[in-house]
Amino acid sequence: MPPSLRSYLQQVLSHTSGPNSVPYSEITKAAIEEQLINLQEIFPSLGISVDEFCTNDGRVLHLLKADGTIPVHYQGSKYNIPITIWLTEEFPVEAPIVFVVPTHSMIIKPGHSQVNSSGQAYTPSLCTWNPSNNLVDLTFELSECFGIEPPLYAKPTHAAPSASPPSSASSSASRPRPSPPPPPPPPPSPFLLF
């Protein structure tokens, strides 16, 4: 673990007042620091930072987040799914909030069993969270769940426009026969390879 992450977290978690202070209680700060350090050791593609989070009741909080990609194995290939894990103000007593974050060339799979249309994930451990849960186990669960049912797909490419129909003024004998329609495009790839 790079010492810079520990120093960064200690600095962030020491802000108790002011516009950039984080809302975590003193008794949870050491656990938060350890969970984030462990998470980044196992999933180095997840960066740790503080950002503004708008709550459902309209408050804007500065919360810690882990964002980047997690590896997912689907049908024998490895993919990287972009996610953001927000540590709520009551974390680790309360579950974090996890979003799948599609890139401009991806879409969220409609009707996904564990990701809603906004990209928020609802895995079993998120739905039954308790203080003994941790971010590393949650991230392994996300990877496993998304390997069974990928939450993102590559945006489909649009077919080329078809030729204009022949003019009605030409006789039916000289009118070329229309060619059959092109075959349907292949199903979209479940992910983009990274």
Side-chain angles (χ1 to χ4, degrees):
M1 186 268 320
S4 60
L5 177 59
R6 186 173 297 278
S7 299
Y8 171 74
L9 289 171
Q10 289 172 346
Q11 179 185 12
V12 165
L13 292 169
S14 69
H15 289 134
T16 57
S17 62
N20 294 326
S21 64
V22 291
Y24 308 108
S25 73
E26 287 301 319
I27 60 173
T28 63
K29 288 180 179 181
I32 290 170
E33 181 181 327
E34 287 309 309
Q35 284 207 37
L36 288 171
I37 288 169
N38 291 340
L39 179 67
Q40 196 176 51
E41 283 178 353
I42 309 255
F43 296 96
S45 60
L46 294 174
I48 311 300
S49 63
V50 173
D51 206 347
E52 289 184 345
F53 182 85
C54 186
T55 65
N56 288 338
D57 63 6
R59 294 178 300 139
V60 176
L61 301 173
H62 286 88
L63 297 181
L64 281 160
K65 68 177 184 175
D67 66 337
T69 61
I70 59 170
V72 170
H73 297 277
Y74 178 72
Q75 295 184 346
S77 295
K78 179 183 170 194
Y79 300 94
N80 292 302
I81 300 295
I83 66 164
T84 300
I85 302 171
W86 290 94
L87 276 56
T88 59
E89 59 191 316
E90 297 299 323
F91 182 85
V93 174
E94 184 179 275
I97 299 172
V98 178
F99 286 95
V100 172
V101 186
T103 65
H104 70 281
S105 59
M106 297 177 173
I107 57 174
I108 295 170
K109 178 184 176 188
H112 192 277
S113 65
Q114 295 177 337
V115 175
N116 70 17
S117 61
S118 298
Q120 188 170 355
Y122 296 95
T123 64
S125 68
L126 285 169
C127 295
T128 60
W129 189 268
N130 66 66
S132 67
N133 290 97
N134 65 71
L135 296 173
V136 170
D137 290 344
L138 168 64
T139 307
F140 277 122
E141 178 189 54
L142 291 164
S143 180
E144 184 179 329
C145 289
F146 296 165
I148 294 167
E149 182 185 4
L152 298 176
Y153 286 88
K155 284 185 181 175
T157 55
H158 294 31
S162 59
S164 302
S167 165
S168 60
S170 62
S171 72
S172 62
S174 65
R175 191 177 325 169
R177 291 197 171 269
S179 59
S189 168
F191 310 102
L192 296 178
L193 289 174
F194 288 84

